Amino acid sequence: MSATVPRAASQSRLVRLGLDRSVLIAFACIVVLLAGGALYSREFLSPEYLLQQLQISAFLGVIASGAMLVILIGHIDLSIPWTVTLGAMMATAVAGWYGTPGEVLAIPVGILCGAIVGLVNGLGVAYLRLPSMIFTLGMNAVVQGLMVLHTGGSAPQDHATDAMHFLAVGRPVLGIPNALFMWILVGAGVIFLLNRTAFGRRVYAVGNRERAAYLSGVDTNAIIVGCFVLSGAAAAFAGVLLAGYSTKAYQAMGDSYLLPAIAAVVLGGTNVLGGRGNYLGTIAGVILITLLQSILAVMQMEEAGRQIIYGTVIIAMLLAYGRGDLHRK
């Protein structure tokens, strides 16, 4: 028994640092996609094209950052699509309603609205003990209804603020998109939270075995609520950035990000049952998903073909990781 515990602790440290097979597989697939894309088009490896892909990855990366925290505790957040839309619409609406003061408050209000959705999700899952898949799906429908009422069923007329546009598309430092810096900041925060704080250690503990964590003195409900709040805030912040990228908010702008965000986290090696995963893997998963989508778009493949290849690659990578890795608790 005494030899097993140190070995398990050592393996846990390696997993958190990203030194596991799933991360290596994900990065190997990225190299394969880059090589394949370069064979199809010489422009695929150009610095400008790669920066553009990283900029697009940043929006998905911010969403996946929050989604990963929820998956690590063994739950799932299906309210992401309309939380993204909520953050974008409320940020632009506040700017339109209140003029200059609204422009200052637009981004914080958008993120706060997402955090509120996450708070409701967390309370429902933690204290009412409702299945996260069902409860968050219901919240997604509620937020959708509220946004339809807010806009009258049409696209809102309020435009993104200059600050939102700057954070999403500005390139003041060496031509690197500001959106990428936003993802780096969010990612650094998640890495610090998971690896350097008591909250992070408790996230892994709850994900491994919630009852055991509770009996050891962990406030498991607080951890669950906190992860959902952070997921909602991250999704809303991504919505703010997307509104800045497209210069306005619009209906259902987050619908296309739910499956890619969850897929990126899982493809990066995070256990879908919780308790195991690292942010380096999520980074690899986000870049992998973005490159795959880009290659299929460049090849001008029909939507049906894209979905078939997209799903096949995800299934193949999950099989490559092995059922033992994905279901080990």
Side-chain angles (χ1 to χ4, degrees):
M1 174 67 93
S2 60
T4 303
V5 174
R7 185 185 309 165
S10 176
Q11 290 176 347
S12 177
R13 284 193 294 270
L14 289 176
V15 165
R16 295 188 191 188
L17 289 172
L19 303 177
D20 63 350
R21 184 171 59 136
S22 58
V23 177
L24 295 178
I25 292 175
F27 277 109
C29 288
I30 291 173
V31 174
V32 171
L33 286 177
L34 288 173
L39 292 176
Y40 186 83
S41 173
R42 294 181 178 179
E43 297 297 323
F44 200 81
L45 292 181
S46 67
E48 182 59 32
Y49 185 82
L50 293 176
L51 279 177
Q52 182 184 22
Q53 295 310 302
L54 287 174
Q55 182 179 29
I56 296 172
S57 296
F59 307 127
L60 178 59
V62 172
I63 297 172
S65 300
M68 178 187 176
L69 293 174
V70 173
I71 293 175
L72 277 175
I73 58 173
H75 292 285
I76 194 167
D77 186 357
L78 298 184
S79 66
I80 285 174
W82 279 88
T83 304
V84 171
T85 306
L86 171 70
M89 286 188 172
M90 293 310 298
T92 55
V94 167
W97 291 338
Y98 300 109
T100 301
E103 291 187 2
V104 175
L105 295 173
I107 296 176
V109 167
I111 297 174
L112 177 62
C113 288
I116 292 173
V117 172
L119 176 62
V120 176
N121 283 334
L123 292 175
V125 173
Y127 290 95
L128 300 181
R129 290 293 154 181
L130 298 173
S132 59
M133 180 177 294
I134 305 301
F135 191 85
T136 58
L137 187 62
M139 275 300 299
N140 189 64
V142 169
V143 175
Q144 178 180 2
L146 291 174
M147 288 300 95
V148 171
L149 289 175
H150 165 64
T151 61
S154 60
Q157 299 300 313
D158 301 309
H159 293 280
T161 65
D162 292 338
M164 293 164 63
H165 186 69
F166 177 75
L167 290 180
V169 301
R171 297 190 177 194
V173 181
L174 301 175
I176 300 174
N178 280 339
L180 182 56
F181 287 120
M182 295 299 101
W183 181 20
I184 291 173
L185 287 176
V186 172
V190 172
I191 292 172
F192 178 81
L193 188 70
L194 290 177
N195 295 288
R196 299 295 181 182
T197 68
F199 180 88
R201 292 190 293 272
R202 291 166 183 169
V203 166
Y204 284 102
V206 171
N208 275 305
R209 194 174 295 274
E210 183 180 348
R211 183 177 296 275
Y214 174 78
L215 293 175
S216 66
V218 175
D219 187 347
T220 56
N221 287 341
I223 299 300
I224 293 172
V225 171
C227 287
F228 274 101
V229 168
L230 292 173
S231 177
F237 182 47
V240 170
L241 294 176
L242 283 168
Y245 183 73
S246 58
T247 70
K248 64 179 182 179
Y250 53 90
Q251 295 281 351
M253 64 189 300
D255 283 0
S256 61
Y257 284 92
L258 177 60
L259 177 58
I262 295 174
V265 174
V266 175
L267 291 180
T270 298
N271 192 330
V272 293
L273 300 179
R276 180 175 181 270
N278 62 83
Y279 195 76
L280 180 60
T282 297
I283 293 173
V286 168
I287 296 175
L288 177 61
I289 293 293
T290 303
L291 287 177
L292 179 59
Q293 291 175 332
S294 177
I295 289 177
L296 295 179
V298 169
M299 294 174 65
Q300 297 181 344
M301 183 173 293
E302 295 183 359
E303 183 62 25
R306 293 187 193 182
Q307 293 300 322
I308 292 173
I309 294 178
Y310 186 59
T312 301
V313 169
I314 292 176
I315 293 173
M317 288 195 64
L318 292 179
L319 292 174
Y321 293 162
R323 290 185 299 175
D325 285 342
L326 290 175
H327 295 284
R328 184 169 56 205
K329 291 294 283 179

